[in-house]
């Protein structure tokens, strides 16, 4: 069961695509967005450390698959439909 009272954490990271915003909590990453511009965060929230590391390793061509937990936003139908792609 997913708890709904989790505190969402956000981290901004520089990538080859620009600044990326990563948002999540102990239930997983709910969003990764590419932004046109933005400030990079200086401290990684503990709950996002593994996912930030994997994103960095992806852009360094060290990994091609992500293993961090995901918890996408949306209705159950949105989540089910999104898994078909």
């Amino acid at each position: 069961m997913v708890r709904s009272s989790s505190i969402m954490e956000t981290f901004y990271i520089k990538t080859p695509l620009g600044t990326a915003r990563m948002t999540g909590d102990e239930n997983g990453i709910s969003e990764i967005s590419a932004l046109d511009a933005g400030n990079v965060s200086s401290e990684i929230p503990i709950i996002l450390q593994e996912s930030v590391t994997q994103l960095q390793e992806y852009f360094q061509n060290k990994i091609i698959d992500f293993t961090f937990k995901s918890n996408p936003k949306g209705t159950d139908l949105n989540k089910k439909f999104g898994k078909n792609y």
Side-chain angles (χ1 to χ4, degrees), residues 11-22 29 31-33 48-63 65-68:
F11 183 77
Y12 295 86
I13 182 173
K14 191 73 166 169
T15 75
L17 304 174
T19 302
R21 177 180 60 221
M22 183 177 286
I29 299 301
E31 179 182 11
I32 299 176
S33 303
L48 300 179
Q49 286 180 346
E50 178 61 28
S51 52
V52 169
T53 297
Q54 288 185 35
L55 189 62
Q56 290 170 326
E57 290 175 348
Y58 174 81
F59 284 115
Q60 295 167 357
N61 294 316
K62 294 181 179 179
I63 64 169
D65 295 313
F66 297 105
T67 59
F68 57 77

